[in-house]
């Protein structure tokens, strides 16, 4: 009988970050160098505020657990004992496939307005980094 493998801490940290976005207020940063582009961002934020679902902390926790497992599987690659296969999660005007899969696994319907747009997350050994918003600087959200 195989011994269960604890998820990598990077997987837990990344999943926790995404799950927090389900319960936090979101302000999308779509960029905007001129008045028309800034107006587009304001319109998107207004639509998001009206169309966005409100998830409970319990739903966010279930999402985090499912996402932890899915991210961990991708980090380990084909072999459960593999050292590490870095992973990038990108959300733009829709949710990344791994996030959609976690939502499906938990019975949640998570749409494009429920998570922030213009997000890049890099999951590397010992570090999780996020760029949150158009042209935003990279921010380390977890480090070993």
């Amino acid at each position: 009988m195989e011994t269960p493998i604890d998820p990598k801490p990077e997987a837990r940290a990344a999943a926790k970050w995404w799950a927090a976005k389900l319960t936090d207020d979101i302000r999308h940063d779509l960029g905007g160098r001129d008045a028309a582009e800034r107006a587009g961002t304001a319109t998107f934020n207004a639509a998001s505020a009206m169309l966005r679902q409100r998830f409970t902390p319990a739903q966010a926790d279930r999402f985090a657990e499912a996402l932890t497992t899915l991210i961990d599987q991708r980090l380990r690659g084909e072999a459960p004992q593999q050292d590490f296969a870095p992973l990038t999660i990108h959300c733009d005007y829709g949710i990344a496939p791994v996030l959609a899969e976690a939502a499906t696994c938990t019975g949640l319907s998570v749409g494009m307005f429920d998570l922030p747009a213009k997000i890049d997350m890099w999951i590397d050994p010992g570090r999780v980094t996020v760029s949150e918003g158009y042209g935003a600087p990279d921010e380390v959200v977890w480090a070993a």
Side-chain angles (χ1 to χ4, degrees):
M1 181 178 202
E2 283 187 35
T3 309
I5 299 172
D6 286 334
K8 292 187 176 293
E10 293 87 349
R12 283 209 185 281
K16 183 178 176 183
W17 188 90
W18 284 106
K21 298 302 176 185
L22 292 177
T23 58
D24 290 350
D25 286 334
I26 295 174
R27 297 287 305 158
H28 302 279
D29 180 1
L30 307 181
R33 294 167 290 285
D34 62 26
E37 290 173 332
R38 287 191 300 276
T41 295
T43 300
F44 192 84
N45 276 314
S48 177
M50 289 186 313
L51 298 173
R52 164 165 216 266
Q53 298 179 76
R54 299 293 181 228
F55 294 95
T56 67
Q59 289 172 316
D61 289 345
R62 285 194 341 255
F63 178 81
E65 283 303 312
L67 186 56
T68 296
T69 299
L70 293 169
I71 290 173
D72 189 64
Q73 289 170 351
R74 284 157 176 80
L75 294 176
R76 292 180 192 280
E78 296 298 316
Q81 301 300 332
Q82 181 174 325
D83 286 341
F84 211 95
L87 176 65
T88 300
I89 299 175
H90 174 73
C91 268
D92 202 346
Y93 293 104
I95 67 172
V98 70
L99 302 175
E101 187 176 350
T104 298
C105 288
T106 56
L108 299 176
S109 177
V110 178
M112 70 180 271
F113 293 112
D114 301 322
L115 291 169
K118 303 277 184 199
I119 303 295
D120 288 303
M121 174 182 275
W122 300 274
I123 306 168
D124 296 298
R127 182 163 65 188
V128 177
T129 308
V130 174
S131 172
E132 187 174 2
Y134 179 82
D138 299 349
E139 175 187 346
V140 176
V141 296
W142 180 87

